[in-house]
Amino acid sequence: DPSMPGYKGFDPLGLSNIDDVGIDLYWLREAEIKHARVAMLAVAGALQVEVFGPAPGCEMATAKCQTDAFWQIWSAHPQYIAASLVLITIVEAVSGIAATTGRESGDRAPGDFGLDPLGFCNGDVAKADRLKLQEIENGRLAMWAAMGLLVQGSTNHMGGLEALGAALNDNSF
């Protein structure tokens, strides 16, 4: 849909035209925005932990690689992972209800939970559209970055910045 922020016309699998199976463009955009926001937080969190060390309460996760840190937490405190899964389930249920009612009523744009405490989207429509475009484009990049951090961490057990430094040292002139 060219009216949506971030529209590039790229849909080689035709996913935007599968209304007959119960998934429409509204639901797909809602999922894309949600995954983009989670990926932006994940990449920022992974880099923060690599630079500054583990978060309070997770001191046992000393690995720079986030996949290794996950297993360290799992071994030491599996209840942290279980509590996270319960919290994620609750958040998904609430956001699923919001997405379904928003899609049916048309009163809510995909990804809009009315949370704008600093008023970034108030007033100037052009500024709000630019911020929505930046959010989706940065989120798409963050999804690739999060995938890259997880895959390279699973293969070489190095943190993202550590792997970047090693690659630069190995390939320097």
Side-chain angles (χ1 to χ4, degrees), residues 5-139:
Y7 174 77
K8 303 291 184 204
F10 181 75
D11 186 15
L13 301 177
L15 296 176
S16 61
N17 299 320
I18 56 174
D19 292 335
D20 55 329
V21 294
I23 301 173
D24 62 358
L25 196 55
Y26 183 95
W27 191 266
L28 293 172
R29 178 47 66 108
E30 181 84 25
E32 181 182 28
I33 291 171
K34 182 188 302 182
H35 287 91
R37 290 173 178 166
V38 169
M40 287 187 278
L41 289 171
V43 170
L47 296 178
Q48 181 271 331
V49 168
E50 187 174 352
V51 172
F52 298 109
C58 299
E59 288 83 10
M60 74 292 302
T62 57
K64 298 285 187 186
C65 169
Q66 291 305 299
T67 52
D68 293 341
F70 171 84
W71 291 113
Q72 287 175 335
I73 292 174
W74 178 264
S75 296
H77 295 289
Q79 69 272 19
Y80 288 2
I81 306 299
S84 298
L85 291 175
V86 169
L87 181 63
I88 290 168
T89 301
I90 293 168
V91 169
E92 284 294 316
V94 170
S95 67
I97 292 168
T100 302
T101 57
R103 179 178 59 186
E104 291 170 354
S105 69
D107 293 339
R108 179 181 163 276
D112 182 13
F113 288 95
L115 181 65
D116 187 14
L118 300 178
F120 287 129
C121 292
N122 293 345
D124 188 8
V125 176
K127 178 183 173 189
D129 288 344
R130 184 176 51 85
L131 290 173
K132 289 177 186 176
L133 176 64
Q134 288 175 340
E135 177 186 34
I136 198 67
E137 289 185 344
N138 289 329

